[in-house]
Amino acid sequence: KAVVSAGVLHYHFGSREVLVSELITRHMGELTAQRERLLNELQPAQASVRDLMRIVIEPLASLALAGGDEGRRYVRMIARLYADRSPILEEVSRRYLHVSARYPQLLHQFLPEQDPAILDIKFEMANHAMLQMLADLTRESRPWLERDLERMDKQAVVELLVDFTSSGICGSISN
């Protein structure tokens, strides 16, 4: 997309890993700042898991839906790196632990009756679902598939995603 040679990219970035790190950082700082602002506005005594999931999902969904081609490509890249457990994504994400560490703390506060380890796993599942759904939501339409996702209002899908992840985190696990 940059219309430059691989040599120019290597000269400026040194390696593919550094380039990927820079691509991740390009939006992650702003996304994290938005989430931090929303977390700071949150009143935990009156808040719920749904409120927390809205904070996690909506900034990335907004980038995916309103950020043009760059936003759509970014979300798909993050979804792929997350699914692959990319060490590059994990390294960059460590810079933002001051915000992301608040999510499990709030979940434990909202759901004290649930095992903290199970809550952490449920939140991991919710992240996978969020990233994969937002990546799918931003793909070009494939009308031949006749999928409901292709026809549904994209903001309605984001609301459904907030509901789905919240319900999954709050739900009980059968033995």
Side-chain angles (χ1 to χ4, degrees), residues 31 48 50 56 67 72 81 100-101 103 128 133 140 143 145 151 160 168:
L31 289 168
S48 67
R50 190 174 198 293
V56 172
R72 288 187 292 275
L81 292 170
S100 61
Y103 304 144
H128 278 282
M133 184 52 66
E140 290 190 26
L145 291 177
R151 294 187 298 270
L160 187 59

Side-chain angles (χ1 to χ4, degrees), residues 3 5 11 36 39-40 54 61 63 67 82 87 116 133 150 173:
V3 191
S5 70
Y11 174 78
E36 183 174 30
L39 284 169
N40 290 339
R54 184 174 296 288
L63 178 62
Y82 190 85
M133 184 52 66
E150 303 286 334
I173 300 196

Side-chain angles (χ1 to χ4, degrees), residues 92-108:
V92 172
S93 295
R94 279 198 226 37
R95 297 179 203 159
Y96 306 102
L97 277 176
H98 67 284
V99 175
S100 61
R102 293 173 67 183
Y103 304 144
Q105 293 169 352
L106 285 165
L107 283 176
H108 299 278

Side-chain angles (χ1 to χ4, degrees), residues 2 13 17 19 27-28 31 47 70 73 79 87 90 92 99-100 102 113 124 135 145 157 161 163 175:
F13 294 100
E17 290 77 15
L19 174 61
H27 291 289
M28 193 172 285
L31 289 168
E70 183 178 343
R73 283 192 305 271
E90 290 182 17
V92 172
V99 175
S100 61
R102 293 173 67 183
E113 71 284 356
E124 179 81 9
L145 291 177
V157 174
L161 181 60
D163 289 341
N175 293 332

Side-chain angles (χ1 to χ4, degrees), residues 30-169:
E30 177 58 32
L31 289 168
T32 303
Q34 287 176 27
R35 289 173 174 147
E36 183 174 30
R37 180 182 50 76
L38 293 168
L39 284 169
N40 290 339
E41 293 171 2
L42 190 70
Q43 301 297 319
Q46 291 85 36
S48 67
V49 171
R50 190 174 198 293
D51 297 322
L52 178 62
M53 292 315 297
R54 184 174 296 288
I55 289 169
V56 172
I57 292 169
E58 285 189 345
L60 189 60
S62 292
L63 178 62
L65 298 176
D69 286 341
E70 183 178 343
R72 288 187 292 275
R73 283 192 305 271
Y74 180 81
V75 170
R76 289 193 301 265
M77 178 184 72
I78 294 298
R80 176 67 185 265
L81 292 170
Y82 190 85
D84 290 347
R85 293 203 172 279
S86 165
I88 300 167
L89 180 59
E90 290 182 17
E91 179 183 321
V92 172
S93 295
R94 279 198 226 37
R95 297 179 203 159
Y96 306 102
L97 277 176
H98 67 284
V99 175
S100 61
R102 293 173 67 183
Y103 304 144
Q105 293 169 352
L106 285 165
L107 283 176
H108 299 278
Q109 182 178 338
F110 295 150
L111 302 167
E113 71 284 356
Q114 289 203 27
D115 178 338
I118 298 296
L119 271 179
D120 289 347
I121 292 168
K122 287 179 174 183
F123 188 69
E124 179 81 9
M125 290 174 178
N127 273 310
H128 278 282
M130 171 192 67
L131 289 167
Q132 189 59 56
M133 184 52 66
L134 291 178
D136 283 351
L137 193 60
T138 62
R139 294 194 197 292
E140 290 190 26
S141 180
R142 298 168 288 187
W144 65 89
L145 291 177
E146 292 295 320
R147 293 176 53 200
D148 290 331
L149 181 61
E150 303 286 334
R151 294 187 298 270
M152 194 170 180
D153 173 73
K154 297 200 183 311
Q155 194 56 49
V157 174
V158 172
E159 285 300 315
L160 187 59
L161 181 60
V162 170
D163 289 341
F164 178 81
T165 55
S166 302
S167 296
I169 289 171

